[in-house]
Amino acid sequence: MDRYVDNCFTSQMNLSCVDFCLDCGSQMGQGLWRVARNQQLQHQGYSGQGYFTREHGRRIATNSVSNTSHRKQAQGGIDIYHLLKTRKTKEQEGFINLEMLPPELSFTILSYLNATDLCLASCVWQDLANDELLWQGLCKSTWGHCSIYNKNPPLGFSFRKLYMQLDEGSLTFNANPDEGVNYFMSKGILDDSPKEIAKFIFCTRTLNWKKLRIYLDERRDVLDDLVTLHNFRNQFLPNALREFFRHIHAPEERGEYLETLITKFSHRFCACNPDLMRELGLSPDAVYVLCYSLILLSIDLTSPHVKNKMSKREFIRNTRRAAQNISEDFC
């Protein structure tokens, strides 16, 4: 401050200017003293144990700070303590403690976590993150159907343990389908029934589609039950065919398995839409021809080797040539 005064005298400043600077320096000094004092009071307020003790100390510090801040703003000074307090509060906040919230709100927050994050959360909130309802939701959202869901749980059963077994079985299935199914049966998760296995496959999205295709090609009994789980009522034929191949992936090459899939789809589509079949005079054989025509049209559209793409008139002509009982309007 003396150096600042000497510079003012050297620059031939007026004595009133020097007094103004000294007065500002005095105000800043008093402000910094209040900062240190208020921080000490706030620290003493946090030293107590329990939430209400800390809250009481915080209110005392806040009231004293607000009075100081108003005085500083009235004097035109800088609210340094407000800036320091805001920064310190942000650093101390962190993540909220879920145990201080209502249980229903805590469970709602944890329900958005996946299995890995929920296991990590159980290291902090063990009672909350190990709740059976949370793990039951994770199991049923990933594996929609299991035989064990409809049984009385055995002694020592937990959905967290069941999730680990389902995950292990899915990984085993993706490596070897037969071993994966045997694993599920050995743990009591699935019954040895084609219908139960078909429901499990239909409601599960974590299975490798290539391994699943190999398994269904070998287990035609499971394939039959899997086809009957589809409901194509009042669906447009191309959309129904897309949905069918979204669940049951078609082979990469034309062969007996592809013909079997289209045959089963044709019969299922006719069974789900009897009124439409009578109105249009369609049969499973006609739907079979239409499905092959749609597949060939898709290949014609997407294949880079086909230079001259099929027109609408050509598609109708080729389809009606293969199945004469199909109307031109429907084609």
Side-chain angles (χ1 to χ4, degrees):
M1 184 61 65
D2 294 337
R3 184 181 300 176
Y4 183 76
V5 173
D6 294 337
N7 290 335
C8 292
F9 278 118
T10 305
S11 302
Q12 296 182 357
M13 292 183 63
N14 203 341
L15 183 60
S16 61
C17 294
V18 179
D19 294 337
F20 175 77
C21 294
L22 292 174
D23 182 58
C24 289
S26 176
Q27 292 181 8
M28 291 292 290
Q30 295 176 2
L32 292 176
W33 178 84
R34 293 191 187 99
V35 169
R37 179 58 179 168
N38 288 328
Q39 287 180 345
Q40 183 180 3
L41 290 175
Q42 187 183 21
H43 178 71
Q44 293 175 356
Y46 275 99
S47 61
Q49 295 182 356
Y51 173 79
F52 294 103
T53 305
R54 293 195 303 269
E55 184 67 21
H56 180 67
R58 187 185 297 112
R59 289 178 180 176
I60 294 176
T62 304
N63 293 333
S64 61
V65 169
S66 61
N67 295 332
T68 305
S69 300
H70 287 307
R71 287 197 299 269
K72 289 181 179 181
Q73 291 176 358
Q75 296 173 359
I78 302 174
D79 192 359
I80 302 176
Y81 182 78
H82 177 71
L83 299 177
L84 294 176
K85 179 178 180 298
T86 303
R87 180 180 178 183
K88 184 177 181 180
T89 303
K90 289 182 178 179
E91 292 175 353
Q92 288 182 347
E93 278 180 358
F95 191 80
I96 189 170
N97 187 3
L98 297 182
E99 294 179 347
M100 299 177 62
L101 300 177
E104 58 273 13
L105 182 57
S106 301
F107 289 138
T108 302
I109 295 173
L110 293 175
S111 65
Y112 289 96
L113 301 181
N114 56 28
T116 303
D117 294 336
L118 196 58
C119 287
L120 294 175
S122 65
C123 298
V124 182
W125 305 288
Q126 185 174 2
D127 294 336
L128 292 174
N130 288 332
D131 186 78
E132 283 291 280
L133 291 178
L134 292 175
W135 287 99
Q136 180 181 1
L138 282 176
C139 290
K140 293 188 175 182
S141 63
T142 308
W143 299 274
H145 176 81
C146 291
S147 303
I148 197 173
Y149 293 160
N150 303 320
K151 299 179 180 179
N152 293 327
L155 185 64
F157 173 83
S158 70
F159 277 99
R160 177 171 180 171
K161 180 180 178 181
L162 177 62
Y163 185 95
M164 304 305 172
Q165 293 176 345
L166 286 169
D167 187 60
E168 179 68 22
S170 299
L171 294 175
T172 305
F173 184 96
N174 294 337
N176 189 312
D178 292 328
E179 292 183 2
V181 174
N182 292 333
Y183 176 85
F184 289 131
M185 293 179 182
S186 65
K187 299 297 183 181
I189 298 174
L190 279 181
D191 292 339
D192 190 3
S193 167
K195 188 175 182 180
E196 287 296 308
I197 299 175
K199 288 182 179 180
F200 175 79
I201 294 174
F202 185 78
C203 300
T204 303
R205 297 291 176 268
T206 59
L207 304 179
N208 183 273
W209 64 271
K210 292 183 178 180
K211 299 295 183 180
L212 182 59
R213 184 177 61 192
I214 296 174
Y215 180 78
L216 293 176
D217 191 12
E218 297 175 352
R219 293 291 303 270
R220 297 300 176 90
D221 54 346
V222 177
L223 178 61
D224 292 337
D225 289 319
L226 184 59
V227 173
T228 58
L229 292 175
H230 291 80
N231 184 12
F232 302 123
R233 184 171 180 81
N234 296 329
Q235 287 195 22
F236 188 45
L237 179 61
N239 295 337
L241 188 62
R242 291 189 187 99
E243 181 183 344
F244 179 76
F245 283 127
R246 190 178 298 117
H247 288 91
I248 306 175
H249 293 273
E252 297 177 355
E253 297 179 358
R254 179 180 176 180
E256 185 269 336
Y257 181 57
L258 178 61
E259 295 178 1
T260 301
L261 290 180
I262 297 179
T263 301
K264 293 182 180 299
F265 168 80
S266 302
H267 284 83
R268 183 59 183 169
F269 184 82
C270 293
C272 293
N273 299 279
D275 298 336
L276 180 63
M277 297 301 105
R278 286 194 299 267
E279 181 182 351
L280 299 176
L282 296 178
S283 63
D285 292 336
V287 176
Y288 178 90
V289 173
L290 283 171
C291 291
Y292 257 113
S293 298
L294 291 171
I295 292 174
L296 293 176
L297 180 64
S298 177
I299 295 174
D300 180 88
L301 176 65
T302 58
S303 176
H305 303 290
V306 180
K307 302 301 180 182
N308 299 322
K309 303 298 181 180
M310 187 186 306
S311 64
K312 179 180 178 181
R313 181 178 300 178
E314 291 174 342
F315 173 78
I316 296 174
R317 184 180 69 248
N318 296 336
T319 304
R320 295 197 64 192
R321 186 182 301 172
Q324 298 180 358
N325 59 335
I326 301 177
S327 66
E328 183 175 349
D329 294 337
F330 186 74
C331 291

